[in-house]
Amino acid sequence: MEIIMAFVIGLLFTAAVYLMLSRSLLRIIIGTGLLSHGAHLLILTMGGLDGKAPPVLTDGVTDFADPLPQALILTAIVISFGVTAFFLVLAYRSYQELDTDDISAMKGGSEDDE
Amino acid sequence: MNNFLLLPIIIPFFFGMILLFGQKSLRFQRGGAMIGLIISFACAVALLFKVKNDGVQTVTFGGWPEPFGITMVSDMVSALLVTTTLLLAIFIVWYGFNSIGTAREHFYYYPAIMMILTGVNGAFTTGDIFNLFVFFEVLLMASYVLIVLGGTKKQLAGSIKYILINVISSALFVISVAYLYSVVGTLNMADIALKIAEVNQPGIITTIAVLFLLVFGLKAAIFPLYFWLPTSYAAAPPPVLALFGALLTKVGVYAIMRTYTLFFIHDLSYTHELLLWLSVLTIIAGCIGALAYFDIKQIIIYNIVIAVGVILFGVAQMNEDGLTGAMFYLIHDMIIKAALFMLIGIIVYKTGTTDLRKMGGLMRSSPVLGWFYLIAAFGLAGIPPLSGFVGKLLIAKGGFEAGNLGTSIFILASSLLVLLSVIRIFIYAFWGEEQPTKPILSKKQTTQLFIPTAIVIIISIAYGVGAEWLTPFMNDAGKTLADPSIYIDAVFKGE
């Protein structure tokens, strides 16, 4: 099972890198989404996929899934939600201000310092 | 009180919360921020002396036994860094009063600064690798807000690059933590150090060590990973730039220092040799950048890269002299970078340009500024009574002890290029014919900016002259870094 997961995660990373190297800002943000999916699945896989029962205390059950990686993923998910929401609004603002979503065309005026 | 070491993290957080209210009242915002910073600085100083007298302070949340709860550890390294952070924050916030502009102050500038300090102090104090990730995100989120606040075109373009590179490095951090967890099965830093010593450094640990270098190197801007830094930092307004230049890359440097002196110490010939050569290449790349530009912001920004290289060169030696020197140089660099960014901020506000070729003759209109700049420049290059000297001396001594003769001489020689890069600013901006200027701020406002700047420079002079007085603190820090068992024993003191 871990081997299959490793291949799937590798595929997610490949897609993420490909998207993040493109020019359109929206494709880049989709790439960061895939990257964080890959990272979260990787934590789950690296914690081991062998536990049978969900990590909730029940009488007579001894074979629990490792609860720690699940807590780590939950933390990492909300953090990447926050960052992605900020990033999307930033992309919207910069589309309004700079009139482009081409990352290589984004060069702010050098003299608007204050 | 056992929870005392949490105060420098909690107080900025608390005041950040309070400052979310009363958005439009400038007096409340400024006063609240200042009071919060001064109280937390006082706590940090008290903590520093407590660590000096009673040894490493630790607290584990929730009363859990040691490797299971989140442990916060305040040893001399983190106590010194926390104190310096809060000290500089006071003056940078003061500097912002007259320069950041009321529009930004009305839109949560001070809460963002308080959150960035929460994140930085938390990252310096935590003893848990995943908690370090969370504190990194706290400080990064606040830094995204600060870098884009104001919303000029330049800021928008610069912050997209900054956020993208940090999203990627955060994902890499999570991945590295996942790998490390699968090998050692723990997240507590002291426990990780013990477990890694037990598994006897298989190849996978070396791989994880390099991954961590990649992650923290992206945050700290070391050689092949520094390309995001110049464009994104140049977008920030001067007070924010001073805060970033003084604090943010240093958190990455601290994380490399911590992991490479606590965890990955069993295959020195690979990991620390890599760190050594990367730090040398970082210095070369930084020197090229610092000499290539006529833009004063870029020159000082590339000097951040150089300093990161020098500090990591000290870390790579893995002996007490090298590590003590790295600590000396790290604190020196935080102070002097804050001072230099504040100074060039004043120059930009006075002349209305960042281009050196359009400046000249400032010595006639503002001689005091010129002399203070010269002192800061000499301090950066490490001319003896000033602050950069002791650190670089100890780093070179550590390098000679470890047998790295050529590279140590190179570190000393690089000081000449650093001096050249900052003296070039002095020659172009202060000497020569007076050029027409279009000041951004009035003369009265720039004079008020000069007061906090001058105090930071005086602190840096005192840091150099009073090096003897600071040596016991720095030796303690160097000892804790050189001997991980001090840290591990402090965390597991109950057993």
Side-chain angles (χ1 to χ4, degrees):
Chain A
M1 190 63 190
E2 274 89 350
I3 300 286
I4 303 170
M5 288 296 276
F7 273 106
V8 172
I9 295 162
L11 212 63
L12 278 172
F13 285 156
T14 317
V17 170
Y18 176 74
L19 283 171
M20 284 191 295
L21 290 176
S22 58
R23 284 178 142 196
S24 153
L25 188 53
L26 213 51
R27 284 167 73 95
I28 291 174
I29 298 177
I30 295 171
T32 63
L34 289 184
L35 185 69
S36 58
H37 285 334
H40 300 154
L41 281 177
L42 188 76
I43 308 181
L44 193 69
T45 315
M46 284 292 143
L49 296 170
D50 40 358
K52 294 276 182 304
V56 180
L57 279 181
T58 327
D59 282 337
V61 180
T62 48
D63 189 17
F64 290 113
D66 189 350
L68 192 58
Q70 303 194 7
L72 302 188
I73 293 170
L74 210 53
T75 314
I77 285 175
V78 291
I79 289 174
S80 70
F81 263 169
V83 176
T84 309
F86 189 88
F87 203 176
L88 279 167
V89 175
L90 181 68
Y92 176 63
R93 275 286 293 162
S94 55
Y95 181 70
Q96 285 182 323
E97 288 282 321
L98 305 171
D99 286 326
T100 175
D101 85 327
D102 184 343
I103 191 100
S104 61
M106 274 185 193
K107 293 203 171 61
S110 57
E111 290 301 324
D112 60 7
D113 271 310
E114 2 134 24
Chain B
M1 250 316 256
N2 212 4
N3 296 336
F4 191 64
L5 70 122
L6 298 177
L7 289 183
I9 307 168
I10 289 176
I11 295 171
F13 180 70
F14 175 76
F15 275 87
M17 294 282 112
I18 298 282
L19 290 177
L20 288 177
F21 303 98
Q23 187 194 354
K24 300 289 176 196
S25 161
L26 274 189
R27 187 183 290 173
F28 173 69
Q29 291 281 327
R30 290 178 176 179
M34 232 15 181
I35 292 168
L37 286 173
I38 288 169
I39 297 175
S40 32
F41 175 65
C43 289
V45 172
L47 176 66
L48 185 67
F49 281 98
K50 196 171 163 60
V51 172
K52 178 78 194 122
N53 295 329
D54 307 346
V56 182
Q57 301 288 308
T58 67
V59 60
T60 304
F61 292 147
W64 292 92
E66 256 59 49
F68 303 116
I70 289 175
T71 313
M72 300 301 262
V73 186
S74 193
D75 59 355
M76 193 44 95
V77 183
S78 80
L80 278 169
L81 289 169
V82 165
T83 313
T84 318
T85 301
L86 289 167
L87 177 68
L88 293 176
I90 291 174
F91 295 105
I92 292 169
V93 167
W94 181 0
Y95 183 88
F97 287 166
N98 292 301
S99 60
I100 195 73
T102 46
R104 285 195 177 96
E105 284 178 291
H106 280 155
F107 281 94
Y108 306 111
Y109 170 73
Y110 295 111
I113 285 200
M114 288 310 198
M115 288 303 150
I116 223 174
L117 292 174
T118 311
V120 170
N121 287 342
F124 284 147
T125 315
T126 187
D128 183 285
I129 196 81
F130 195 77
N131 199 228
L132 180 67
F133 164 74
V134 175
F135 274 121
F136 262 117
E137 290 303 312
V138 171
L139 78 91
L140 285 174
M141 264 302 226
S143 75
Y144 302 155
V145 174
L146 281 178
I147 203 169
V148 81
L149 191 65
T152 60
K153 287 182 176 171
K154 195 180 174 189
Q155 280 181 305
L156 287 169
S159 54
I160 283 177
K161 282 152 203 161
Y162 179 72
I163 294 180
L164 181 61
I165 204 78
N166 279 307
V167 167
I168 295 168
S169 80
S170 297
L172 279 174
F173 196 172
V174 172
I175 292 164
S176 316
V177 169
Y179 285 148
L180 190 61
Y181 178 71
S182 76
V183 176
V184 297
T186 179
L187 294 169
N188 183 301
M189 302 215 298
D191 202 29
I192 292 173
L194 282 179
K195 296 271 161 54
I196 285 182
E198 278 166 21
V199 297
N200 211 7
Q201 195 77 13
I204 186 78
I205 295 284
T206 311
T207 314
I208 294 171
V210 175
L211 258 176
F212 269 105
L213 187 61
L214 199 70
V215 171
F216 297 136
L218 264 171
K219 318 254 185 208
I222 63 172
F223 163 61
L225 311 166
Y226 70 93
F227 295 99
W228 57 274
L229 184 97
T231 26
S232 34
Y233 273 26
V240 176
L241 180 59
L243 195 71
F244 282 20
L247 304 181
L248 291 197
T249 54
K250 308 306 181 289
V251 187
V253 172
Y254 164 79
I256 294 177
M257 257 170 125
R258 188 58 91 196
T259 47
Y260 271 63
T261 55
L262 190 61
F263 303 167
F264 308 119
I265 47 173
H266 305 284
D267 188 10
L268 293 183
S269 64
Y270 187 84
T271 52
H272 286 63
E273 195 71 13
L274 179 70
L275 188 61
L276 181 99
W277 286 108
L278 282 181
S279 65
V280 169
L281 288 170
T282 308
I283 296 171
I284 295 175
C287 284
I288 292 172
L291 292 176
Y293 280 93
F294 277 99
D295 182 307
I296 51 175
K297 275 187 181 173
Q298 295 291 346
I299 293 174
I300 309 294
I301 287 171
Y302 274 102
N303 268 298
I304 301 179
V305 179
I306 301 176
V308 166
V310 174
I311 298 163
L312 290 181
F313 182 82
V315 177
Q317 306 311 321
M318 270 314 270
N319 52 28
E320 221 178 294
D321 275 332
L323 290 166
T324 313
M327 266 318 282
F328 253 116
Y329 203 80
L330 181 54
I331 307 276
H332 143 77
D333 192 59
M334 290 168 82
I335 300 173
I336 204 79
K337 285 287 142 59
L340 279 170
F341 280 119
M342 288 155 96
L343 277 169
I344 61 160
I346 295 179
I347 297 177
V348 173
Y349 286 131
K350 262 184 180 314
T351 59
T353 173
T354 59
D355 192 340
L356 276 181
R357 286 166 294 195
K358 290 183 192 153
M359 295 176 191
L362 278 178
M363 205 57 173
R364 223 161 272 141
S365 58
S366 36
V368 189
L369 181 69
W371 289 115
F372 269 93
Y373 178 81
L374 194 66
I375 293 171
F378 283 162
L380 181 73
I383 289 183
L386 297 169
S387 60
F389 172 67
V390 191
K392 217 169 240 180
L393 179 75
L394 284 171
I395 287 174
K397 190 166 165 241
F400 286 132
E401 273 170 28
N404 299 312
L405 296 183
T407 40
S408 301
I409 291 169
F410 168 76
I411 298 286
L412 294 177
S414 74
S415 303
L416 291 175
L417 294 179
V418 170
L419 186 63
L420 177 61
S421 72
V422 280
I423 286 299
R424 235 160 47 104
I425 297 182
F426 184 73
I427 291 172
Y428 273 91
F430 289 95
W431 286 359
E433 291 299 308
E434 270 185 273
Q435 302 280 333
T437 56
K438 36 179 189 308
I440 297 167
L441 296 178
S442 69
K443 204 170 165 63
K444 188 165 159 259
Q445 278 173 313
T446 33
T447 318
Q448 280 168 343
L449 288 184
F450 185 67
I451 303 166
T453 314
I455 299 175
V456 175
I457 294 170
I458 289 166
I459 291 171
S460 94
I461 298 172
Y463 182 82
V465 176
E468 188 131 359
W469 184 78
L470 283 163
T471 304
F473 292 90
M474 294 296 174
N475 280 344
D476 264 21
K479 245 184 226 120
T480 340
L481 285 174
D483 181 6
S485 65
I486 299 175
Y487 186 95
I488 297 169
D489 290 345
V491 173
F492 289 102
K493 61 186 180 300
E495 286 147 52

